Every structure is written in C-alpha cells, then in structure tokens.
Amino acid sequence: MLKLGTENISGLYVGEQKIKKAFVGEQLVFEDNPTYTVYFYAVDEEDSSKVLNSSSFTVNPGESVSVNPWDINGYNFAGWYDESGNLVSSGSSFSVTPTGDATYYLKYYEYYTLLVSASGFVSSELVVTINGEDYTITRNADAQGNGAELHLRKNSVVTVKTKTIPSGYKFDKWGLVYANVTSTADPYAFTLARDLEILHGYLSKASRLPAGYTEVEYVHFPGGTATYFSQAIPSHTQAIAPSIELDVKLGTKNPGTNKILISTSSPIGLTRYFSLTTEGSSSGFTGLRCPTSSANNTMKVLSVSVNQKVHVEIDNLNKVFKVGSSSVSIGGWTFGTSTTTGYAGALGNSLASYVPEMWVYEYKYYTSTQYATKKTLAKHWVPCIRTSDNSIGFYDLVNKTFTAKSGAGTVEAGPAV
C-alpha cells in the first residue's frame, strides 16, 4: 500500500493497467496482495552442494509454514539451518512465519549401523550407555534376545559403558566383531568405521569367593564303609536351632547303614531328626525323611531317585520342613511336601555313622531366637578348592572362613563355576 500525504492508496494504476509492484530505486514501495515463498533444501552435512531433496511453499503475510524432515535412505536428520548457516532448530518439526522470501536448509549425515548385543549370560538383561543414552540389552534362555540398532555418523567416535549388570555376573570385555577388536576397558571408545558393525558386551558369572579360592559346583564324597568325614558337611552347634537349607544328591553305597543326621530339640525337649538316608538293598530306596527319633524311619517325606539333586529346607522359624518337589518355588527351587517340625533347640553334629555316596552343593543356616520374627543368615558354605594347597572344602561367605574336610578318605571337587 502506498501512502501519499495522509491518505493510503490501495491501488496504483497507469492508465487502465493496475500495477502489482512499485519501486523507488531498488526499494519496494508498493505491492498489491503480496505473497512470500519459503524454500527448503535437504543437503549433505559434509557437502552442502549435494541436494538430497527440496520443496517450497507460498504463503500470505502473517501465515505460517510447518514442515517435517524427509526420511532419506542412508541418512539421519541433523537439524534446521538458515541461509547464514545458523542452527535454528534441531526438533523433529519446524514452523516459521515469514516476513519475506526465505530459504532453510535441512542438514543430513550419512550413517553406519551399529548393532549392540549381550553375550555370556542367559535370562537377564544388561543396561549400557552409548554416547550418553541408555539402552537395555536382553538375552533369554535360548541365547536370543533384543539388542540395540543405532544409526551413527560415519567414522564417529562411540563411547559405550556398562550401567547395570545382572546380579551374580561381572563384566568381562567388549568385542567389536568386524573390527576384530576386544577391550576390557569400561567405558570403551572406538571409531565406527564400517556399516553393520556388531558390538558384543561379554559377561561371566561373578566369583563369590575371595582370591585364593575357586568355587566348584559340588564336593563329591565317594562313600563306602571305610570313608567317614566328620566335616563332610561342616558341623556346628547353636543354642537355638537354626533354619537349614541344603542342596545335596545321594548315591546308593552302603544302603541301610549310612545316614547324615541332623538332630534338633525344642526348648521343651521335643526332638526332631532330619536325615538323608540310604535304606535297604542296593536297588532300594534313596530318600529324605524327617523322623521323630533317630531310630524311627517311618515318617517318609519324599522319595527321590538315585543321583537326583534335591534342595532341603528346615524352616524352624515357620515350623516347616520342605524338600524338592514340583509345586512351590523358593529361591529358584521348587518344593512340595511340608511337615510341621516344631521349635528346635540345639543343632548337633551334622553326620552320624558312615557317609553314603554324596554330592554336596551348598549349605546355609539361619539363626533365630525362640520368639524371633525373622531369620538371620549365620553361615553360607560354598564348595570350593583352596588354590594354595588344592585343598577341597567349603568357604563360609558370611564369616569369610574356609573349612577343609577332616577324617579319612578322599573327596573330589566338581567342575569350577
């Protein structure tokens, strides 16, 4: 609109011809129904002369333009820039109300794909931080799982570190597959120099034992009439009987004569016995029982097959005796039959008579007073080898002490875990 004196002129004509624009020198002084054109160009971040896509919009004064970046194969969007090269937005959409013709550039960078996975453990998850962002990597029992697929700048430096490691595991190393590089550094930085590179995070089972001890799966006692170990399972005495958890497996040597006997008595003198016993002929029963006396074997709790690993729990706090079965799950084991045992007082020797063939895995007991409301873990024996002299025995994780077997005979250590 042209203003002469105090009057606005809404149209300008030369004869009958209406003028669209009028200039004084190079300055626009009049425009009839003006419009603005906004141009958008997608360009390569490294080479702005490489145009990947483009579009334009024509709008009236006061109107806005809202646009989203293009999906361009092999490229990631990096941001919105003005004609002077200034970053005006890094958002996923952009809106502008132009005051004249304008041009904006969408910068893109070429990427390589990095695949991140976890190895060396099952049924758990690892959380890693990559370039400051957290990713959860899962792996299930059949060694499959969900990893992270990242599109990162070609030849960019990537920094990865563990954030959360599954309980019972420790970090071992990173493995960059196609670069054929491994590193124990955490955090670990590397240059992404190719497409479809794979990064493995390797974990292994963490040792529960201090330096100088190697944890093994079990200690095997071959059994036989001449084989007696007063420390086959570390014995102990407690004023108020503890609750006991025992992982064990029995063979069939010396049936009918050998028992591992744990006797407990309540404050009022009632005695309960727990025995792992072989009974009868060599083809007979291998079982667990909780008899009312050392001579009474009629209270059968569960029959188990020869060489079947079982978990036994005497929970004196809750007055329950449990053995491995198939209905109730406790700490990863399943339990079935339960029998009330009553309060128990003193725990005597953990062995009586000769030892049958036996594999001992772990052994725990929890202390409590007569009127306690909770159990306290007092000892937790783990089968192991003392590396200084290759002595086979049990390490107590609570008291940090090692107990070797005593008595005659030979014991065998299971495989390292």
Side-chain angles (χ1 to χ4, degrees):
M1 182 176 292
L2 185 65
K3 185 175 183 182
L4 296 177
T6 59
E7 299 295 327
N8 291 331
I9 297 176
S10 59
L12 188 62
Y13 294 82
V14 175
E16 298 291 327
Q17 181 68 39
K18 188 175 184 180
I19 297 174
K20 296 292 185 181
K21 292 183 180 181
F23 293 84
V24 176
E26 303 238 350
Q27 183 177 0
L28 178 68
V29 295
F30 174 80
E31 184 174 4
D32 182 51
N33 296 325
T35 59
Y36 306 134
T37 302
V38 184
Y39 300 91
F40 294 93
Y41 295 96
V43 297
D44 189 300
E45 185 179 61
E46 300 296 324
D47 181 7
S48 59
S49 67
K50 187 176 181 179
V51 178
L52 306 173
N53 211 334
S54 65
S55 65
S56 63
F57 298 87
T58 300
V59 296
N60 295 317
E63 291 181 344
S64 297
V65 175
S66 296
V67 291
N68 297 316
W70 292 281
D71 291 329
I72 301 178
N73 188 40
Y75 285 86
N76 271 357
F77 175 67
W80 308 84
Y81 291 78
D82 63 18
E83 293 179 82
S84 300
N86 300 311
L87 177 66
V88 294
S89 176
S90 57
S92 58
S93 63
F94 180 64
S95 181
V96 62
T97 304
T99 58
D101 292 347
T103 300
Y104 293 92
Y105 296 93
L106 292 74
K107 290 189 177 182
Y108 286 77
Y109 63 85
E110 289 188 88
Y111 64 77
Y112 284 146
T113 299
L114 174 67
L115 303 174
V116 187
S117 66
S119 299
F121 69 101
V122 297
S123 301
S124 198
E125 65 182 27
L126 169 68
V127 178
V128 298
T129 300
I130 302 173
N131 290 351
E133 187 171 350
D134 292 346
Y135 297 88
T136 298
I137 315 300
T138 62
R139 180 180 170 94
N140 54 31
D142 60 1
Q144 303 299 313
N146 298 318
E149 179 177 323
L150 310 180
H151 294 166
L152 305 175
R153 281 181 173 85
K154 287 184 175 182
N155 300 311
S156 62
V157 176
V158 180
T159 300
V160 58
K161 70 182 295 294
T162 59
K163 183 175 182 180
T164 303
I165 296 176
S167 176
Y169 291 88
K170 64 182 179 66
F171 169 77
D172 279 342
K173 63 183 179 181
W174 301 105
L176 202 58
V177 174
Y178 292 109
N180 196 26
V181 173
T182 59
S183 175
T184 57
D186 189 32
Y188 168 51
F190 61 95
T191 299
L192 185 59
R194 61 153 287 146
D195 194 24
L196 294 177
E197 181 68 272
I198 299 174
L199 176 69
H200 284 306
Y202 290 93
L203 303 181
S204 63
K205 205 168 183 182
S207 175
R208 296 181 289 177
L209 307 183
Y213 298 89
T214 300
E215 183 177 347
V216 296
E217 186 179 353
Y218 54 77
V219 172
H220 176 220
F221 300 91
T225 56
T227 308
Y228 172 74
F229 300 97
S230 60
Q231 295 290 346
I233 304 172
S235 61
H236 43 80
T237 301
Q238 189 73 18
I240 301 297
S243 297
I244 300 162
E245 292 184 34
L246 176 66
D247 295 341
V248 70
K249 184 168 67 173
L250 295 180
T252 57
K253 292 186 179 179
N254 303 315
T257 59
N258 300 313
K259 298 176 183 177
I260 305 168
L261 184 64
I262 300 174
S263 61
T264 61
S265 60
S266 72
I268 58 174
L270 298 179
T271 302
R272 293 290 182 270
Y273 295 90
F274 160 65
S275 65
L276 291 80
T277 179
T278 55
E279 176 185 311
S281 68
S282 59
S283 61
F285 166 93
T286 300
L288 299 98
R289 56 191 68 238
C290 186
T292 55
S293 72
S294 59
N296 183 353
N297 289 323
T298 60
M299 187 178 175
K300 295 181 180 179
V301 177
L302 178 72
S303 299
V304 294
S305 302
V306 172
N307 296 338
Q308 178 184 348
K309 182 180 178 182
V310 293
H311 181 92
V312 181
E313 179 180 349
I314 303 175
D315 184 352
N316 280 320
L317 181 66
N318 297 302
K319 305 180 184 180
V320 174
F321 175 76
K322 300 176 181 178
V323 290
S325 186
S326 59
S327 57
V328 182
S329 179
I330 299 178
W333 287 81
T334 52
F335 295 89
T337 306
S338 298
T339 302
T340 300
T341 61
Y343 275 116
L347 179 66
N349 290 331
S350 58
L351 296 180
S353 188
Y354 295 110
V355 179
E357 183 179 24
M358 175 177 62
W359 295 258
V360 178
Y361 295 82
E362 288 196 42
Y363 184 32
K364 301 177 186 177
Y365 82 78
Y366 301 79
T367 58
S368 62
T369 62
Q370 180 179 353
Y371 303 107
T373 57
K374 66 178 182 179
K375 300 181 294 186
T376 301
L377 183 63
K379 292 185 183 293
H380 182 180
W381 282 292
V382 175
C384 66
I385 298 174
R386 185 167 57 191
T387 54
S388 61
D389 58 0
N390 290 322
S391 179
I392 299 172
F394 295 84
Y395 188 90
D396 180 6
L397 297 178
V398 176
N399 300 289
K400 314 300 182 186
T401 56
F402 175 74
T403 301
K405 69 93 179 177
S406 64
T410 302
V411 295
E412 300 166 351
V417 297

